[in-house]
Amino acid sequence: MDTKTTTEKTGESAESAEGAEGAKTAEAAPAEDTAVVVLDKQADDLTDDAADALADDEDDEDDLLSDEAAPASSGIGGAAAAVVSAALGAVALTGTWTGKVVSERETLVGQIKTSGSGTPAQQISEIYGDAWHGTAVVNGVFSLVALFVAVLVLILPGRPAWVRSVAVAGAVLGGLGLLLSAGTYFDLFLSLPTAGS
Protein backbone atom coordinates (compact mmCIF):
# COMPACT_ATOMS: atom_id res chain seq x y z
CA MET A 1 0.00 0.00 0.00
CA ASP A 2 2.79 2.34 0.68
CA THR A 3 4.24 1.58 -2.65
CA LYS A 4 0.97 2.19 -4.33
CA THR A 5 0.45 5.44 -2.51
CA THR A 6 3.94 6.55 -3.29
CA THR A 7 3.48 5.63 -6.90
CA GLU A 8 0.20 7.47 -7.02
CA LYS A 9 1.77 10.50 -5.37
CA THR A 10 4.72 10.33 -7.73
CA GLY A 11 2.35 10.01 -10.66
CA GLU A 12 0.39 12.98 -9.44
CA SER A 13 3.63 14.95 -9.00
CA ALA A 14 4.74 14.03 -12.48
CA GLU A 15 1.39 15.00 -13.91
CA SER A 16 1.38 18.25 -12.01
CA ALA A 17 4.96 18.93 -13.16
CA GLU A 18 3.95 18.21 -16.73
CA GLY A 19 0.91 20.40 -16.33
CA ALA A 20 3.03 23.22 -14.93
CA GLU A 21 5.49 22.92 -17.79
CA GLY A 22 2.62 22.83 -20.26
CA ALA A 23 1.16 25.93 -18.66
CA LYS A 24 4.54 27.62 -18.79
CA THR A 25 4.94 26.60 -22.43
CA ALA A 26 1.42 27.78 -23.18
CA GLU A 27 2.17 31.09 -21.49
CA ALA A 28 5.58 31.36 -23.17
CA ALA A 29 4.26 30.54 -26.63
CA PRO A 30 1.97 33.53 -26.92
CA ALA A 31 4.71 35.77 -25.52
CA GLU A 32 7.17 34.41 -28.04
CA ASP A 33 4.62 34.78 -30.83
CA THR A 34 3.96 38.36 -29.77
CA ALA A 35 7.70 39.09 -29.69
CA VAL A 36 8.15 37.56 -33.14
CA VAL A 37 5.24 39.58 -34.52
CA VAL A 38 6.63 42.78 -32.97
CA LEU A 39 10.09 42.05 -34.34
CA ASP A 40 8.66 41.25 -37.77
CA LYS A 41 6.69 44.48 -37.72
CA GLN A 42 9.79 46.46 -36.71
CA ALA A 43 11.80 44.77 -39.45
CA ASP A 44 9.08 45.59 -41.99
CA ASP A 45 9.00 49.19 -40.76
CA LEU A 46 12.78 49.43 -41.05
CA THR A 47 12.67 47.90 -44.52
CA ASP A 48 9.93 50.33 -45.57
CA ASP A 49 11.86 53.26 -44.08
CA ALA A 50 15.02 52.17 -45.87
CA ALA A 51 13.12 51.78 -49.15
CA ASP A 52 11.56 55.23 -48.71
CA ALA A 53 14.93 56.76 -47.89
CA LEU A 54 16.47 55.10 -50.93
CA ALA A 55 13.63 56.31 -53.13
CA ASP A 56 14.02 59.84 -51.70
CA ASP A 57 17.76 59.72 -52.37
CA GLU A 58 17.14 58.60 -55.94
CA ASP A 59 14.56 61.37 -56.42
CA ASP A 60 16.99 63.94 -54.99
CA GLU A 61 19.74 62.63 -57.23
CA ASP A 62 17.44 62.80 -60.27
CA ASP A 63 16.46 66.36 -59.33
CA LEU A 64 20.11 67.32 -58.98
CA LEU A 65 20.98 65.75 -62.30
CA SER A 66 18.08 67.45 -64.06
CA ASP A 67 18.94 70.77 -62.38
CA GLU A 68 22.56 70.42 -63.43
CA ALA A 69 21.71 69.28 -66.94
CA ALA A 70 19.34 72.14 -67.68
CA PRO A 71 21.68 75.06 -66.90
CA ALA A 72 24.70 73.24 -68.29
CA SER A 73 23.67 73.91 -71.88
CA SER A 74 22.66 77.50 -71.16
CA GLY A 75 25.61 77.89 -68.75
CA ILE A 76 28.12 77.29 -71.53
CA GLY A 77 26.51 80.00 -73.66
CA GLY A 78 26.46 82.44 -70.77
CA ALA A 79 30.09 81.72 -69.90
CA ALA A 80 31.15 82.14 -73.52
CA ALA A 81 29.20 85.39 -73.82
CA ALA A 82 30.83 86.73 -70.65
CA VAL A 83 34.33 85.91 -71.95
CA VAL A 84 33.50 87.44 -75.36
CA SER A 85 32.28 90.64 -73.72
CA ALA A 86 35.49 90.94 -71.70
CA ALA A 87 37.59 90.27 -74.80
CA LEU A 88 35.66 92.81 -76.86
CA GLY A 89 36.04 95.38 -74.11
CA ALA A 90 39.81 94.83 -74.00
CA VAL A 91 40.06 94.98 -77.78
CA ALA A 92 38.08 98.22 -77.85
CA LEU A 93 40.61 99.78 -75.46
CA THR A 94 43.70 98.60 -77.33
CA GLY A 95 42.41 99.04 -80.87
CA THR A 96 41.46 96.63 -83.61
CA TRP A 97 42.69 95.66 -87.02
CA THR A 98 39.40 96.97 -88.42
CA GLY A 99 40.02 100.33 -86.79
CA LYS A 100 43.50 100.45 -88.33
CA VAL A 101 42.10 99.70 -91.81
CA VAL A 102 39.42 102.39 -91.43
CA SER A 103 42.05 104.86 -90.25
CA GLU A 104 44.35 104.16 -93.21
CA ARG A 105 41.44 104.44 -95.62
CA GLU A 106 40.43 107.83 -94.21
CA THR A 107 44.04 108.98 -94.47
CA LEU A 108 44.19 107.97 -98.13
CA VAL A 109 40.86 109.62 -98.91
CA GLY A 110 42.03 112.79 -97.18
CA GLN A 111 45.25 112.82 -99.20
CA ILE A 112 43.30 112.44 -102.42
CA LYS A 113 40.86 115.24 -101.52
CA THR A 114 43.53 117.71 -100.52
CA SER A 115 46.23 116.91 -103.06
CA GLY A 116 47.40 120.24 -104.37
CA SER A 117 44.41 122.42 -103.49
CA GLY A 118 43.85 121.99 -99.77
CA THR A 119 44.88 124.39 -97.07
CA PRO A 120 46.97 123.13 -94.16
CA ALA A 121 43.94 123.19 -91.81
CA GLN A 122 41.93 121.25 -94.36
CA GLN A 123 44.74 118.72 -94.81
CA ILE A 124 45.00 118.21 -91.05
CA SER A 125 41.26 117.71 -90.78
CA GLU A 126 40.91 115.40 -93.79
CA ILE A 127 44.07 113.36 -93.38
CA TYR A 128 44.49 113.08 -89.61
CA GLY A 129 41.18 114.11 -88.08
CA ASP A 130 38.99 111.80 -90.14
CA ALA A 131 41.36 108.87 -89.57
CA TRP A 132 41.34 109.57 -85.84
CA HIS A 133 37.55 109.80 -85.75
CA GLY A 134 37.18 106.64 -87.88
CA THR A 135 39.28 104.69 -85.38
CA ALA A 136 37.20 106.11 -82.51
CA VAL A 137 33.97 105.01 -84.21
CA VAL A 138 35.19 101.45 -84.75
CA ASN A 139 36.47 101.16 -81.17
CA GLY A 140 33.19 102.64 -79.93
CA VAL A 141 31.20 100.00 -81.81
CA PHE A 142 33.33 97.24 -80.25
CA SER A 143 32.82 98.84 -76.82
CA LEU A 144 29.08 99.08 -77.34
CA VAL A 145 28.83 95.41 -78.36
CA ALA A 146 30.95 94.39 -75.34
CA LEU A 147 28.71 96.41 -73.02
CA PHE A 148 25.52 95.00 -74.56
CA VAL A 149 26.68 91.37 -74.30
CA ALA A 150 27.88 91.86 -70.71
CA VAL A 151 24.59 93.43 -69.61
CA LEU A 152 22.67 90.64 -71.33
CA VAL A 153 24.65 88.02 -69.39
CA LEU A 154 24.14 89.90 -66.13
CA ILE A 155 20.36 90.26 -66.44
CA LEU A 156 19.76 86.59 -67.24
CA PRO A 157 19.19 84.57 -64.03
CA GLY A 158 21.00 81.45 -62.88
CA ARG A 159 24.55 82.31 -63.87
CA PRO A 160 27.47 81.09 -61.73
CA ALA A 161 29.44 83.67 -59.78
CA TRP A 162 32.54 83.46 -61.99
CA VAL A 163 30.44 84.05 -65.14
CA ARG A 164 28.87 87.10 -63.55
CA SER A 165 32.34 88.34 -62.52
CA VAL A 166 33.67 88.04 -66.06
CA ALA A 167 30.53 89.74 -67.38
CA VAL A 168 31.04 92.62 -64.93
CA ALA A 169 34.64 92.94 -66.17
CA GLY A 170 33.35 93.00 -69.75
CA ALA A 171 30.79 95.65 -68.86
CA VAL A 172 33.43 97.81 -67.15
CA LEU A 173 35.85 97.48 -70.06
CA GLY A 174 33.06 98.14 -72.57
CA GLY A 175 31.86 101.20 -70.70
CA LEU A 176 35.39 102.55 -70.35
CA GLY A 177 36.08 101.92 -74.04
CA LEU A 178 32.84 103.67 -74.96
CA LEU A 179 33.78 106.74 -72.91
CA LEU A 180 37.27 106.86 -74.41
CA SER A 181 35.92 106.43 -77.94
CA ALA A 182 33.37 109.20 -77.45
CA GLY A 183 36.05 111.47 -75.99
CA THR A 184 38.35 110.76 -78.93
CA TYR A 185 35.62 111.29 -81.52
CA PHE A 186 34.57 114.64 -80.04
CA ASP A 187 38.20 115.72 -79.41
CA LEU A 188 37.63 115.99 -75.65
CA PHE A 189 41.01 114.54 -74.63
CA LEU A 190 43.20 115.88 -77.40
CA SER A 191 42.24 118.37 -80.03
CA LEU A 192 43.44 118.27 -83.61
CA PRO A 193 46.63 120.19 -84.19
CA THR A 194 46.23 123.58 -85.83
CA ALA A 195 48.24 124.90 -88.73
CA GLY A 196 50.73 127.68 -87.97
CA SER A 197 49.97 131.11 -89.34
Side-chain angles (χ1 to χ4, degrees):
M1 177 160 182
D2 288 338
T3 311
K4 189 177 181 185
T5 308
T6 308
T7 308
E8 286 176 2
K9 286 184 180 178
T10 308
E12 288 174 8
S13 317
E15 285 175 7
S16 62
E18 285 176 8
E21 283 181 20
K24 286 182 184 176
T25 306
E27 289 174 5
E32 286 177 4
D33 289 344
T34 307
V36 169
V37 169
V38 169
L39 288 176
D40 285 344
K41 183 167 173 45
Q42 288 176 349
D44 288 342
D45 291 345
L46 288 175
T47 305
D48 290 343
D49 290 345
D52 291 344
L54 184 60
D56 289 344
D57 288 346
E58 287 176 359
D59 290 343
D60 292 345
E61 190 174 305
D62 290 342
D63 291 344
L64 287 174
L65 290 176
S66 64
D67 289 346
E68 289 173 2
S73 59
S74 61
I76 292 172
V83 171
V84 166
S85 71
L88 286 173
V91 164
L93 288 175
T94 60
T96 64
W97 176 80
T98 309
K100 185 172 172 80
V101 169
V102 168
S103 174
E104 289 176 356
R105 183 183 184 282
E106 289 298 324
T107 299
L108 182 60
V109 168
Q111 287 174 349
I112 292 170
K113 282 184 182 178
T114 60
S115 65
S117 64
T119 64
Q122 196 177 21
Q123 287 178 349
I124 291 170
S125 174
E126 293 288 333
I127 295 171
Y128 299 107
D130 289 349
W132 191 348
H133 295 154
T135 301
V137 167
V138 171
N139 290 345
V141 168
F142 274 85
S143 297
L144 192 60
V145 171
L147 188 59
F148 175 75
V149 171
V151 169
L152 187 65
V153 171
L154 287 172
I155 63 172
L156 293 176
R159 300 289 177 223
W162 74 268
V163 171
R164 297 180 67 77
S165 299
V166 174
V168 167
V172 168
L173 290 172
L176 187 59
L178 196 59
L179 287 175
L180 290 175
S181 296
T184 303
Y185 185 81
F186 294 111
D187 299 326
L188 298 176
F189 304 122
L190 293 171
S191 60
L192 285 173
T194 55
S197 48

